[in-house]
C-alpha cells in the first residue's frame, strides 16, 4: 500500500503542487480544502494523471470542520505517515506594525495558528503511533533573527507573527516527540509567486516552492525541530 499524506490548502498553489509531487513519488495523497467543488476538481486533475488522490473538506477557521476532517482522516486513513500543514492566509499583509489592524491580526492567527494548532492536536496521537512526519509550512519572515538582520524584509506584522507563533508550536511538538520515531519540523519555500501575495512577480514558481517542501518531507532524514529553507537550517 502507498504511504498516505494529508495536505491542507491543497486545491491550488503550493499545496496542489505538494500533493502532485508527492503523488508522483508514489504517495496516496489526501487533499484538504475549504471549497468542496475546487477540492474535488483538484483530485480529478491528479487522478487523470494516474495519481492516487482523495479529498477531505476542511476549513481551517472552523473548529467543527477541523474536527470532522480529523475524524475522517483517523477513520479512513489510519495509516497516515505525513501531514503537511500548508493552508494559510495573509491577514491584510500589513506593511508595518503601525498599519496593522487587530481584526486582520486575529484573522491571520485564526487560520495560521489556531486552525493549524487544532488539526495538529487532533491528529497528534495518530502521528505518534505511526511514527509519522508533520511539516508546518512557514515563511522566512517568521524568523525573529531574519526580521532583525535581513537586508530587506516585509514587515507584515499580522502575517509574520501568526507564522512565528506557528514556529513556536513546531518547536513544542518536536520536543514532545524527540525520543520517538515521529518528527515535526518547519519548512519555508522562500519567496514564491502565489495567490497569498497577490501573485507578486519575481518569486519562485509554485512547483519550485513545493519541491523544497516535498524534498525535506520525503528524504528519509531526521529533521525533528528544525526550521529549513532550500539552503538548510535557519535560526528561529
Amino acid at each position: 500500500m502507498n504511504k498516505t499524506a494529508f495536505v491542507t490548502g491543497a486545491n491550488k498553489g503550493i499545496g496542489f503542487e505538494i500533493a502532485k509531487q508527492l503523488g508522483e513519488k508514489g504517495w496516496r495523497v489526501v487533499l484538504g480544502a475549504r471549497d468542496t467543488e475546487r477540492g474535488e476538481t483538484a483530485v480529478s486533475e491528479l487522478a487523470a494523471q494516474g495519481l492516487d488522490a482523495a479529498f477531505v473538506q476542511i476549513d481551517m477557521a472552523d473548529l467543527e470542520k477541523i474536527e470532522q476532517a480529523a475524524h475522517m482522516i483517523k477513520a479512513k486513513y489510519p495509516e497516515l505517515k505525513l501531514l503537511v500543514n500548508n493552508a494559510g492566509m495573509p491577514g491584510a499583509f500589513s506593511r508595518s506594525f503601525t498599519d496593522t489592524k487587530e481584526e486582520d491580526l486575529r484573522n491571520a492567527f485564526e487560520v495560521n495558528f489556531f486552525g493549524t494548532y487544532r488539526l495538529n492536536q487532533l491528529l497528534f496521537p495518530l502521528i505518534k503511533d505511526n511514527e509519522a512526519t508533520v511539516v508546518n509550512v512557514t515563511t522566512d519572515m517568521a524568523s525573529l533573527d531574519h526580521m532583525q538582520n535581513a537586508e530587506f524584509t516585509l514587515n507584515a506584522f499580522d502575517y509574520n507573527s501568526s507564522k512565528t507563533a506557528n514556529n513556536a508550536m513546531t518547536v513544542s511538538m518536536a520536543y514532545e516527540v524527540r525520543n520517538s520515531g515521529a518528527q515535526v519540523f518547519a519548512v519555508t519555500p522562500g519567496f514564491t509567486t502565489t495567490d497569498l501575495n497577490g501573485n507578486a512577480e519575481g518569486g519562485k514558481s509554485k512547483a519550485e516552492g513545493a519541491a523544497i517542501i516535498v524534498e525535506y518531507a520525503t528524504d528519509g532524514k531526521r529533521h525533528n525541530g528544525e526550521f529549513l529553507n532550500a539552503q538548510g537550517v535557519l535560526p528561529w
Side-chain angles (χ1 to χ4, degrees):
M1 181 184 292
N2 292 350
K3 289 187 287 187
T4 300
F6 181 38
V7 183
T8 64
N11 65 290
K12 64 176 182 177
I14 289 179
F16 178 77
E17 286 294 334
I18 292 170
K20 179 182 176 183
Q21 291 176 28
L22 286 170
E24 290 169 347
K25 286 178 174 284
W27 286 70
R28 168 191 285 168
V29 186
V30 183
L31 283 71
R34 180 177 53 188
D35 187 294
T36 299
E37 185 177 347
R38 290 178 180 175
E40 289 177 344
T41 298
V43 166
S44 296
E45 188 173 332
L46 295 183
Q49 299 174 42
L51 306 181
D52 188 352
F55 172 67
V56 169
Q57 201 265 341
I58 188 168
D59 183 342
M60 300 304 292
D62 186 326
L63 174 57
E64 186 177 344
K65 289 283 198 281
I66 294 169
E67 290 174 336
Q68 289 171 355
H71 177 76
M72 185 172 293
I73 292 294
K74 287 185 281 190
K76 292 187 68 175
Y77 308 102
E79 73 285 357
L80 184 75
K81 290 294 286 185
L82 173 63
L83 169 62
V84 181
N85 287 303
N86 167 74
M89 64 93 71
F93 235 41
S94 57
R95 292 288 171 160
S96 70
F97 174 80
T98 301
D99 293 337
T100 302
K101 294 181 174 61
E102 182 174 332
E103 180 184 5
D104 296 324
L105 188 65
R106 287 183 180 276
N107 288 340
F109 265 79
E110 187 62 30
V111 172
N112 298 341
F113 178 72
F114 285 107
T116 306
Y117 153 76
R118 290 163 183 153
L119 182 62
N120 276 331
Q121 196 167 67
L122 288 164
L123 291 180
F124 213 31
L126 188 63
I127 295 295
K128 292 176 182 176
D129 288 346
N130 292 350
E131 298 189 333
T133 294
V134 178
V135 178
N136 291 323
V137 178
T138 186
T139 173
D140 310 47
M141 300 177 295
S143 165
L144 301 181
D145 179 87
H146 174 90
M147 287 299 295
Q148 280 198 308
N149 299 312
E151 205 169 293
F152 170 79
T153 192
L154 182 62
N155 190 21
F157 181 63
D158 44 8
Y159 178 68
N160 295 357
S161 62
S162 69
K163 286 294 193 175
T164 304
N166 194 303
N167 279 2
M169 175 168 55
T170 301
V171 173
S172 181
M173 293 171 70
Y175 183 83
E176 191 166 327
V177 299
R178 69 194 185 283
N179 296 319
S180 77
Q183 62 172 341
V184 184
F185 55 92
V187 181
T188 171
F191 175 35
T192 305
T193 299
T194 67
D195 287 353
L196 187 138
N197 55 33
N199 291 299
E201 294 182 0
K204 300 179 185 72
S205 70
K206 298 172 182 68
E208 289 169 336
I212 295 165
I213 297 161
V214 170
E215 175 61 27
Y216 282 121
T218 62
D219 66 8
K221 297 177 183 178
R222 183 75 174 165
H223 296 296
N224 191 51
E226 293 181 345
F227 179 10
L228 299 154
N229 69 1
Q231 285 72 48
V233 177
L234 290 172
W236 294 104

